[in-house]
Amino acid sequence: MSAFAVYRLPYGKFATMVQQMDGEPAELLSCAELNGKCGFVMAPFEITDGHPILLIRPDKVERVELERRQETEVRVFREIREIREIRGDRAFRDYYAVDFANFHSQLELGTFRKIVLARCAEEELSESIPPMELFFKACEQYPRMFISLVCTEKGGCWLTASPEILLEGNGADWRTIALAGTVRLEGEQLSGEGETVNWSTKNIQEQRYVATYIAECLEQFTSDFSEEGPSSVRAANLVHLRSDFTFTLPSKERLGDLLQALYPTPAVCGLPKRETFHFITHNEHTPRLYYSGFQGWLGEEETHLYVSLRCMKMEGKRCYLYAGGGLLKDSTEELEWQETEAKLETMRRVISS
């Protein structure tokens, strides 16, 4: 199997297919190694020999029209919910309770200001669905999001629908965002963009942590940056708080260094960054693998890199869905669990509708 990635930018009318025709993607062990590189990047949350940064060489790059769908009708799997219950959803809930108690105790002790707790859910289909079919469905359902399908021998096959830009730009003009805080839209709210949402102190504080961190990172690379926001932005049936940062860079040669500083942001890790990262990698029940890493096109002219949120790993009939949420001292287990359930719905809708 040749390595490939196909992606569609938010509100895009077409997708882009990147293929490496022979050999395996380059394996990198730090973001700094991306300096001067070009291709499709897929980075894990924790970079290891077993899960390195993968750089797909763009031997072939072509445009894919989204209207050009497969002839076979999209299958509907009504039984997914029932199977999920049979497969031991209670066990996943119990694991989460243990992790929440462990993580939250560190917040109560004042060890961390914020820490992100993630989890995995397993879905089994009655028969496997072609990954490209799921990619097209995700593009139809989520026009506001970055949609990607990445398949490599080393990393496996992942489908992602992410609302969060990590780094995007061309020439000297660049941007990133601080995205945090989550509210589920219900009822009449689903007809809007989240403008009627009332944000809690917890959500506002969580988003401010992320924005402050990004500003401090940018100061190391440029003095010319500005911040706008926060404002409410919709992603599927959820709405988040988002601040937009625009900035200039004197040179693209240090993009890898900038990624090394930015990533992982407090939106997927916590504060202090080094200490929360170490705690997460040693205490979460399920390794995140390529969930909450980043991915996208790193090009000579344009770059579009997104945080790998709302994603799932596909293995035949089984799909492993990932979600997480930021914990603060006043977080409660049930509300945080419900937030992850709402985020998992993004991919559940793709495989069940």
Side-chain angles (χ1 to χ4, degrees):
M1 177 186 73
S2 62
F4 77 90
V6 57
Y7 67 94
R8 189 219 61 194
L9 298 176
Y11 298 103
K13 301 302 181 183
F14 63 91
T16 301
M17 173 80 80
V18 181
Q19 290 179 277
Q20 181 168 326
M21 306 309 293
D22 59 81
E24 294 300 318
E27 298 182 10
L28 312 177
L29 294 178
S30 78
C31 293
E33 294 182 52
L34 291 170
N35 284 334
K37 298 292 196 305
C38 178
F40 191 95
V41 180
M42 186 175 183
F45 177 71
E46 180 186 16
I47 302 169
T48 64
D49 289 336
H51 295 92
I53 297 173
L54 300 174
L55 181 64
I56 299 175
R57 187 176 66 244
D59 294 335
K60 183 178 181 181
V61 180
E62 60 181 333
R63 175 169 165 159
V64 178
E65 298 296 336
L66 295 177
E67 291 78 11
R68 194 174 65 203
R69 298 292 305 277
Q70 298 181 5
E71 293 182 3
T72 53
E73 185 177 346
V74 175
R75 301 174 181 85
V76 178
F77 294 95
R78 301 293 185 188
E79 73 277 17
I80 287 177
R81 298 277 180 164
E82 180 181 352
I83 291 175
R84 182 168 64 89
E85 295 294 332
I86 293 173
R87 292 192 60 81
D89 192 57
R90 183 69 248 173
F92 287 116
R93 185 68 178 86
D94 292 342
Y95 287 147
Y96 186 84
V98 172
D99 282 351
F100 181 90
N102 191 15
F103 280 48
H104 194 255
S105 67
Q106 300 301 309
L107 295 166
E108 293 180 316
L109 291 171
T111 308
F112 309 136
R113 283 180 284 163
K114 170 190 174 177
I115 188 167
V116 175
L117 173 58
R119 69 182 183 95
C120 178
E122 182 181 339
E123 306 281 10
E124 184 167 349
L125 311 179
S126 61
E127 58 181 290
S128 59
I129 309 175
M132 279 299 294
E133 191 171 305
L134 293 176
F135 171 79
F136 283 124
K137 287 179 66 180
C139 287
E140 289 178 350
Q141 292 185 27
Y142 305 121
R144 299 173 177 85
M145 294 184 173
F146 168 85
I147 309 296
S148 72
L149 173 66
V150 186
C151 294
T152 67
E153 189 70 29
K154 185 88 172 186
C157 197
W158 291 76
L159 181 69
T160 301
S162 177
E164 184 171 355
I165 298 168
L166 179 63
L167 185 62
E168 188 171 63
N170 60 72
D173 300 321
W174 295 84
R175 69 174 181 140
T176 185
I177 68 172
L179 191 77
T182 303
V183 171
R184 184 172 187 166
L185 298 178
E186 297 178 328
E188 295 181 356
Q189 291 180 325
L190 290 167
S191 62
E193 296 296 315
E195 61 274 8
T196 62
V197 167
N198 293 317
W199 291 100
S200 68
T201 301
K202 183 261 183 185
N203 279 308
I204 294 171
Q205 185 179 17
E206 182 184 349
Q207 196 275 339
R208 192 65 246 159
Y209 281 153
V210 180
T212 300
Y213 173 83
I214 289 176
E216 292 172 349
C217 287
L218 293 179
E219 288 174 348
Q220 303 173 43
F221 294 87
T222 179
S223 59
D224 182 17
F225 71 90
S226 62
E227 176 186 356
E228 292 186 6
S231 59
S232 299
V233 292
R234 182 172 175 176
N237 63 329
L238 306 176
V239 63
H240 307 286
L241 277 172
R242 166 174 156 174
S243 295
D244 290 74
F245 292 84
T246 56
F247 56 98
T248 60
L249 291 175
S251 170
K252 291 179 60 177
E253 295 304 312
R254 296 186 64 201
L255 281 187
D257 295 330
L258 176 55
L259 289 168
Q260 185 85 3
L262 282 173
Y263 200 78
T265 73
V268 296
C269 187
L271 289 169
K273 173 180 173 177
R274 182 178 301 175
E275 289 81 356
T276 52
F277 178 83
H278 183 270
F279 191 86
I280 289 168
T281 56
H282 285 76
N283 289 278
E284 271 185 349
H285 262 91
T286 305
R288 297 189 185 186
L289 309 180
Y290 287 90
Y291 162 69
S292 72
F294 67 88
Q295 60 177 281
W297 177 251
L298 181 64
E300 295 180 357
E301 296 183 1
E302 292 188 0
T303 291
H304 303 279
L305 299 175
Y306 282 72
V307 181
S308 301
L309 304 177
R310 317 293 192 272
C311 64
M312 66 180 178
K313 185 179 183 182
M314 294 171 283
E315 296 181 358
K317 297 179 183 179
R318 291 188 180 180
C319 299
Y320 298 89
L321 287 62
Y322 293 81
L327 309 185
L328 300 182
K329 187 176 180 180
D330 59 351
S331 295
T332 62
E333 181 190 324
E334 181 59 28
L335 288 178
E336 295 300 333
W337 170 265
Q338 291 303 326
E339 180 177 320
T340 62
E341 280 290 293
K343 290 174 177 177
L344 290 172
E345 281 300 312
T346 300
M347 281 295 145
R348 282 178 176 150
R349 286 175 176 171
V350 174
I351 61 177
S352 64
S353 62

